[in-house]
Amino acid sequence: MELALPEFDYLRQTVYELSSIIIDPGKEYLAESRLSPVAHEEGFASVQELLARMRQGTSMPLRQRVLDAMTNNETSFFRDVAPFEALREIILPEIIASNSRDGQLSIWSAASSTGQEAYSIAMLLDKYFGGLPGWRVKILATDISTSALQRAREGRYSQMEVSRGLTQEQLKRYFSNEGAEWKIIDSIRSMVEFRSLNLFDSWDAIPPCDILFLRNVLIYFEVEKKKQILAKVRSILKPTGYVLLGSAETTLGLDDGFERIQCGPISYCRLKRS
Ligand SMILES: C[S@@+](CC[C@H](N)C(=O)[O-])C[C@H]1O[C@@H](n2cnc3c(N)ncnc32)[C@H](O)[C@@H]1O
């Protein structure tokens, strides 16, 4: 049974309050299909019953489960290819040269979903830069979805997931086969630290950043919220740092503190330099 409008509006409002994600009107069918398994597993007869319980006040774990189900965790290894080519060919060589004196590199995969983005960065650093021996390399990966983070930390992927973006050579080198799954090897897994973070909460615990992957998450927010995030990006990014957005995302018209660098099919941003 499809959700009635008041129930759907309550869900949209709740998700917005928890994450600032906008769920478009008319997506009742989506909500119903994503929440049905949660309702079932939590012992409710229907999604309607689950939402009714939430309305009466409920524990944070249940609200978090509902939020997790409503986030879009679509991702893949080396997603869109070009950002990772830009990282390897232009961005990393430049940052490594400018940071060579202190030997530190800080990369943040914000909205990391199930971890493919952060592990792609780690594999690239390993393969093309030998893991930067003698450097202090930090790859931080954060997301608001507890279930996505749990999967990311485990580093186990299905055949379908590894077939999206990985070559046979990468699969052989960086994963071990465990039954129907592929597990990322420990040396790559340990390069990434996963943490829970709502991008609208404080970034005080995030270190100054050389490279920020902020890909395919701004699209879920309204203009004012995108502006808030970009202002925070300006404060966390080192003066020589870079931001990579998703292919449908831009800073244009939102924040003129950034300049865009176009490099073939990919554009990336840095703080305006005088
Ligand atoms: C489509 S995935 C993008 C994953 C990856 N960055 C990529 O481009 O492949 C969007 C992610 O943003 C996360 N997200 C949505 N709202 C968020 C918020 N307010 N704070 C942190 N993460 C959020 C979701 O949980 C989801 O995992």
Side-chain angles (χ1 to χ4, degrees):
M1 190 175 51
E2 198 167 87
L3 289 178
L5 196 54
E7 290 163 332
F8 180 59
D9 282 346
Y10 166 73
L11 174 68
R12 291 175 68 206
Q13 185 59 32
T14 304
V15 169
Y16 181 78
E17 280 164 14
L18 291 172
S19 66
S20 301
I21 293 172
I22 305 267
I23 301 175
D24 291 329
K27 292 270 175 79
E28 284 89 339
Y29 66 95
L30 180 81
E32 175 72 32
S33 70
R34 291 213 181 154
L35 291 181
S36 279
V38 179
H40 181 71
E41 282 166 31
E42 295 286 339
F44 295 101
S46 64
V47 174
Q48 284 78 358
E49 213 178 85
L50 164 69
L51 293 175
R53 170 64 64 82
M54 280 178 67
R55 270 191 129 136
Q56 290 159 9
T58 183
S59 64
M60 193 53 203
L62 186 58
R63 290 161 76 81
Q64 180 71 46
R65 277 210 76 182
V66 167
L67 174 64
D68 283 7
M70 294 309 300
T71 55
N72 179 350
N73 303 127
E74 165 65 18
T75 188
S76 57
F77 290 103
F78 298 96
R79 184 173 185 177
D80 299 337
V81 183
F84 293 91
E85 283 175 357
L87 181 68
R88 170 165 69 95
E89 289 167 14
I90 303 162
I91 297 173
L92 272 170
E94 189 184 310
I95 301 254
I96 289 167
S98 68
N99 290 9
S100 60
R101 221 183 289 152
D102 67 356
Q104 288 192 50
L105 175 65
S106 171
I107 303 177
W108 180 20
S109 165
S112 57
S113 186
T114 41
Q116 286 90 329
E117 182 173 273
Y119 289 137
S120 299
I121 298 166
M123 286 186 273
L124 186 149
L125 267 174
D126 178 79
K127 177 158 184 201
Y128 296 101
F129 300 88
L132 286 176
W135 279 58
R136 265 185 294 155
V137 177
K138 179 166 197 64
I139 305 174
L140 177 64
T142 62
D143 202 280
I144 198 171
S145 163
T146 309
S147 54
L149 281 171
Q150 191 182 332
R151 286 210 55 219
R153 286 193 185 101
E154 283 168 8
R156 288 174 190 277
Y157 298 96
S158 67
Q159 184 65 49
M160 170 77 94
E161 287 169 321
V162 296
S163 68
R164 295 183 64 205
L166 290 175
T167 62
Q168 277 305 312
E169 191 246 320
Q170 287 163 332
L171 188 57
K172 251 171 89 181
R173 180 163 171 181
Y174 293 117
F175 292 79
S176 59
N177 193 198
E178 294 192 356
E181 291 182 322
W182 294 86
K183 188 167 188 296
I184 194 117
I185 56 172
D186 283 345
S187 59
I188 296 295
R189 194 156 62 104
S190 62
M191 287 172 74
V192 183
E193 181 194 347
F194 289 98
R195 278 193 224 162
S196 174
L197 181 76
N198 178 348
L199 290 172
F200 293 92
D201 288 346
S202 163
W203 290 12
D204 286 354
I206 306 289
C209 197
D210 292 300
I211 303 168
L212 169 55
F213 275 68
L214 183 66
R215 304 199 67 230
N216 304 301
V217 63
L218 288 181
I219 39 169
Y220 299 107
F221 307 138
E222 62 207 319
V223 166
E224 277 315 308
K225 298 282 182 178
K226 291 183 215 252
K227 287 182 179 175
Q228 281 176 28
I229 296 293
L230 290 173
K232 288 166 92 171
V233 169
R234 273 192 280 108
S235 67
I236 201 89
L237 203 62
K238 292 189 192 170
T240 50
Y242 286 99
V243 187
L244 292 103
L245 301 174
S247 53
E249 296 165 327
T250 180
T251 59
L252 289 178
L254 295 171
D255 192 317
D256 58 13
F258 294 93
E259 59 187 9
R260 211 158 74 134
I261 295 151
Q262 190 70 38
C263 178
I266 168 85
S267 67
Y268 46 94
C269 310
R270 65 182 182 197
L271 297 173
K272 262 189 189 153
R273 299 176 186 181
S274 43

